[in-house]
Amino acid sequence: MAKTKTAFFCRNCGVQSPKWIGKCPSCGEWNTYVEEVIQREEPGVAPGMAIRRNAIPTLITDIELSTENRIDTQNQELNRVLGGGLVPGSVVLVGGEPGIGKSTLMLQVALTIKNLKVLYVSGEESEQQIRMRAERLGMGRNECYILTETSTREILGHIAKLTPGIIIIDSIQTLTSDNIDASAGSISQIRETASEMQRFAKTVNVPVFLIGHITKEGTLAGPKLLEHMVDTVLQFEGDRNYGYRILRSVKNRFGSTSELGIYEMQSSGLREVSNPSEILITQHEEPVSGTAVAATIEGLRPMLIETQALVSSAAYGTPQRSCTGFDTRRLNMLLAVLEKRSGFKLGVKDVFLNIAGGLRVDDPATDLAVVSSVLSSNIDIPINSKTCFAGEVGLSGEIRPVTRAEQRVTEAEKLGFESIVISKLNFKAAKSAAKTIKVIPVSKIEDVFRHLFG
Ligand code: TYD
Ligand code: MG
């Protein structure tokens, strides 16, 4: 019998050490080391490394170029985030908080994908539960097998018999490998089971989806090490209070990471939202102060989103600044610029900012709309609802140009906006794309203020 061996692992980055250490030498985190039992049957295979055992060096020009043969998942948003479809033999990690809809999304894919045998392995739900959910989602007519099992040896055995064309594992934290004695969900188990799945996917060229839970700190449990091992990491996120869900690609060996998929959670599952602007702009009966629409680009997709600000006198000594969907530090910076350039005493005001629809935006072009909505709320004068904004605000109050101005203008025009406020430096490009929409060039915060409120 092999003797029991234990080792210490960093909970943050997965580094292994023979003894306990207070500060991880690899990632610098404190108190992250945990002891786990490890007992390998066969030593020496580094996880994630063993793609093919008896490989020989091959001249790069002699390697057959597999024509990009992507699998259409029948889910346009997912295809987009994957970079144009699923690559055979790739391992895709789908991460997200509990209850966000990972199992729903994957089961939906399992039920709608065409001409492929699907194996959905669940370690969390019973067959009946999955069947009930499938009824709710509307059963497809394809070959979808459900297996409730957690041992990788059993799972790989079933896979060998069934030969599915795509495999979904729900979730990686429930899998256990016989090679390791640690409990399911521990770092060494996650590392081992994920590497077994990865090795399998590469050898037989079958794609594998791994569902992964996110811990309270917002990282994938068994975090960085899993991200290194898989080909693609997708993050499923959203505000529970809104029906919208966003699928983001965090890492992608086969495509860009700036893509975004948008879904709406309904009683019959996730609906793809192909025109996000429609849901992200609230229709107001009458003009209200404190709202401005930003022409942003997320990934390759232009979207118009509404920013809402509320500026009020601070009830207590220290004014509050709070953001939903926007970086609070960036808001503070914009407020400081406004205070300096527009002469408003925003330092004594509470400022709340909200991006409608529960979306989180990173595009710096949102700045101009944020600034405009704050100004509008502060003096309580509404902005024309047919006006939108695209511009980054610099520290000296200058309006900086944005990327792909033409695309933003075209999208705004398509959605019926009558004018777009944009940096002077984008004027030429914007003008060339504009057919009916009026392009208003601005170079400083003062120009914006003058244009909006006279
Ligand atoms: P689930 O896929 O189980 O989340 P995860 O696997 O990420 O933990 O999603 C669960 C939530 O989704 C649950 O709160 C109910 C909701 N839901 C719907 O609103 N409509 C549906 O059709 C389904 C299947 C789930
Ligand atoms: Mg689930």
Side-chain angles (χ1 to χ4, degrees):
M1 200 190 122
K3 68 173 192 291
T4 309
K5 236 177 100 183
T6 68
F8 293 84
F9 291 92
C10 170
R11 255 180 297 151
N12 187 48
C13 65
V15 159
Q16 188 178 345
S17 152
K19 61 179 197 318
W20 190 85
I21 321 174
K23 184 185 180 191
C24 176
S26 167
C27 65
E29 287 292 317
W30 286 91
N31 287 333
T32 51
Y33 275 76
V34 285
E35 185 175 19
E36 283 180 6
V37 179
I38 48 166
Q39 192 176 47
R40 276 170 186 269
E41 275 173 0
E42 38 164 15
V45 185
M49 297 290 288
I51 289 177
R52 205 143 57 91
R53 282 292 169 77
N54 304 319
I56 47 161
T58 313
L59 201 62
I60 191 160
T61 45
D62 291 347
I63 298 174
E64 236 178 281
L65 188 69
S66 62
T67 41
E68 272 240 303
N69 209 354
R70 291 191 183 236
I71 301 165
D72 180 3
T73 61
Q74 301 295 323
N75 190 316
Q76 296 322 314
E77 298 296 297
L78 180 62
N79 282 348
R80 180 206 313 274
V81 179
L82 288 170
L86 186 59
V87 175
S90 66
V91 179
V92 181
L93 177 65
V94 181
E97 286 178 16
I100 204 79
K102 302 179 294 295
S103 306
T104 308
L105 177 68
M106 284 295 110
L107 188 60
Q108 238 167 307
V109 170
L111 293 172
T112 51
I113 206 160
K114 288 207 181 103
N115 308 325
L116 272 181
K117 215 192 273 180
V118 186
L119 179 64
Y120 186 101
V121 183
S122 179
E124 305 202 330
E125 285 158 308
S126 69
E127 285 165 5
Q128 279 75 25
Q129 275 176 309
I130 300 170
R131 171 71 213 240
M132 260 158 59
R133 176 175 303 187
E135 285 296 330
R136 211 171 147 182
L137 300 174
M139 296 268 265
R141 293 176 57 88
N142 69 339
E143 260 188 294
C144 173
Y145 292 87
I146 306 292
L147 172 67
T148 46
E149 177 62 69
T150 55
S151 152
T152 48
R153 193 174 41 165
E154 295 292 321
I155 293 170
L156 291 172
H158 286 297
I159 290 173
K161 265 185 262 149
L162 193 67
T163 62
I166 168 169
I167 296 156
I168 296 167
I169 307 275
D170 187 3
S171 65
I172 184 72
Q173 277 101 348
T174 58
L175 290 193
T176 52
S177 162
D178 297 342
N179 295 346
I180 301 269
D181 271 352
S183 60
S186 63
I187 291 158
S188 43
Q189 276 293 5
I190 290 179
R191 166 146 65 180
E192 180 62 25
T193 51
S195 92
E196 277 176 28
M197 285 299 148
Q198 209 241 14
R199 225 173 304 163
F200 160 79
K202 299 293 172 220
T203 337
V204 297
N205 211 27
V206 166
V208 177
F209 279 105
L210 302 176
I211 293 180
H213 293 296
I214 279 185
T215 58
K216 273 193 230 78
E217 297 85 48
T219 49
L220 280 162
K224 289 288 171 243
L225 93 133
L226 258 182
E227 293 188 11
H228 288 306
M229 286 162 70
V230 301
D231 299 301
T232 305
V233 181
L234 304 182
Q235 195 139 311
F236 207 33
E237 56 190 41
D239 197 316
R240 288 260 199 105
N241 303 326
Y242 294 93
Y244 303 111
R245 298 284 182 273
I246 293 150
L247 191 65
R248 257 178 223 280
S249 134
V250 182
K251 162 184 173 177
N252 194 353
R253 285 193 182 142
F254 310 108
S256 128
T257 52
S258 52
E259 280 304 338
L260 230 157
I262 301 185
Y263 296 90
E264 185 182 1
M265 182 62 96
Q266 294 181 331
S267 56
S268 58
L270 290 156
R271 179 181 74 89
E272 297 176 42
V273 177
S274 45
N275 184 3
S277 301
E278 279 172 15
I279 57 163
L280 298 173
I281 298 174
T282 342
Q283 303 297 335
H284 300 288
E285 299 265 295
E286 291 167 24
V288 288
S289 69
T291 66
V293 176
T296 64
I297 290 192
E298 286 287 341
L300 294 174
R301 187 152 58 158
M303 311 179 188
L304 278 97
I305 55 173
E306 187 175 292
T307 62
Q308 305 171 335
L310 180 69
V311 180
S312 64
S313 299
Y316 304 103
T318 324
Q320 293 187 60
R321 269 78 208 270
S322 144
C323 290
T324 321
F326 193 75
D327 185 6
T328 313
R329 275 170 304 176
R330 184 127 195 117
L331 174 68
N332 280 330
M333 188 277 273
L334 293 174
L335 292 177
V337 173
L338 270 184
E339 172 128 17
K340 186 106 182 156
R341 302 287 149 195
S342 70
F344 285 124
K345 292 278 168 282
L346 290 166
V348 295
K349 301 276 177 101
D350 285 342
V351 180
F352 303 97
L353 184 77
N354 184 18
I355 305 292
L359 203 73
R360 181 166 61 86
V361 292
D362 300 323
D363 187 353
T366 321
D367 287 357
L368 196 52
V370 169
V371 162
S372 306
S373 60
V374 168
L375 285 175
S376 159
S377 175
N378 191 43
I379 58 174
D380 204 14
I381 298 178
I383 294 170
N384 183 348
S385 64
K386 294 282 175 214
T387 301
C388 62
F389 301 83
E392 187 182 339
V393 176
L395 281 180
S396 60
E398 81 276 21
I399 310 300
R400 310 185 55 206
V402 294
T403 54
R404 289 186 279 155
E406 301 91 327
Q407 242 180 308
R408 298 175 200 260
V409 169
T410 312
E411 180 74 7
E413 198 167 86
K414 205 168 83 194
L415 290 165
F417 282 85
E418 288 160 5
S419 59
I420 179 165
V421 181
I422 208 158
S423 164
K424 207 169 208 161
L425 301 169
N426 279 132
F427 184 67
K428 235 166 114 187
K431 194 77 192 145
S432 71
K435 290 194 194 78
T436 54
I437 194 168
K438 198 169 150 211
V439 181
I440 301 158
V442 285
S443 55
K444 298 191 299 292
I445 290 271
E446 292 91 316
D447 299 348
V448 183
F449 188 76
R450 211 172 310 125
H451 170 75
L452 290 177
F453 312 110

